Amino acid sequence: MSEEDRSRLYAWFREHTDEPLAEYLMSCLAPAPLSDLATKTDLAGIDKRFERVDQRFDALFALREADRTEAAALREQDRAQAAALREQDRAERKSDLRSIKAHHYTVIGFIVALFVANLTIL
């Protein structure tokens, strides 16, 4: 039945009955020609296609999870390397600080010795 025929039939139902009954009667009729409606075989084919799509999505999700796991492992490795570099820098700064302090005390000692020597000369 064409859309034009459906519209005329609906209008006729509304003229001869009330609108809710016309709506109900139209809902009982197929909205398209029966040859255009999907059959169980069509739906089974669609289900198979969806199964294949689901399998592909499952494979993609598995790849994504593997990538996330790999990325997390790389982040942990990077964090461990950064922590090791920080510890190395701290150790180098401690040794640098010791040598700076020793040099500082040597200079201060030399200045004090010069000051005392200058006082004894005067």
Side-chain angles (χ1 to χ4, degrees), residues 5-26:
D5 292 339
R6 284 182 60 82
S7 297
R8 280 189 287 156
L9 186 59
Y10 176 69
W12 187 86
F13 281 150
R14 279 189 31 200
E15 287 177 16
H16 292 86
T17 63
D18 59 347
E19 188 169 342
L21 183 59
E23 294 279 335
Y24 173 73
L25 289 172
M26 292 306 291

Side-chain angles (χ1 to χ4, degrees), residues 98-116:
R98 284 188 201 121
S99 65
I100 289 171
K101 282 182 181 179
H103 180 70
H104 176 72
Y105 290 138
T106 303
V107 170
I108 295 295
F110 183 70
I111 291 171
V112 169
L114 285 176
F115 181 71
V116 169

Side-chain angles (χ1 to χ4, degrees), residues 37-114:
L37 298 178
T39 63
K40 288 182 182 180
T41 308
D42 296 334
L43 295 177
I46 291 172
D47 284 344
K48 288 179 184 176
R49 288 181 189 164
F50 278 122
E51 286 176 13
R52 286 194 302 264
V53 169
D54 284 344
Q55 290 171 352
R56 289 178 183 161
F57 274 118
D58 290 343
L60 286 174
F61 288 137
L63 284 173
R64 184 181 72 175
E65 285 303 314
D67 286 346
R68 285 182 173 177
T69 304
E70 183 181 343
L74 287 173
R75 280 193 304 273
E76 286 302 317
Q77 184 180 6
D78 288 346
R79 286 183 186 130
Q81 287 176 350
L85 286 174
R86 280 193 306 272
E87 288 302 317
Q88 182 181 359
D89 287 344
R90 286 180 185 145
E92 288 175 5
R93 280 195 310 253
K94 282 183 181 179
S95 67
D96 290 345
L97 186 60
R98 284 188 201 121
S99 65
I100 289 171
K101 282 182 181 179
H103 180 70
H104 176 72
Y105 290 138
T106 303
V107 170
I108 295 295
F110 183 70
I111 291 171
V112 169
L114 285 176

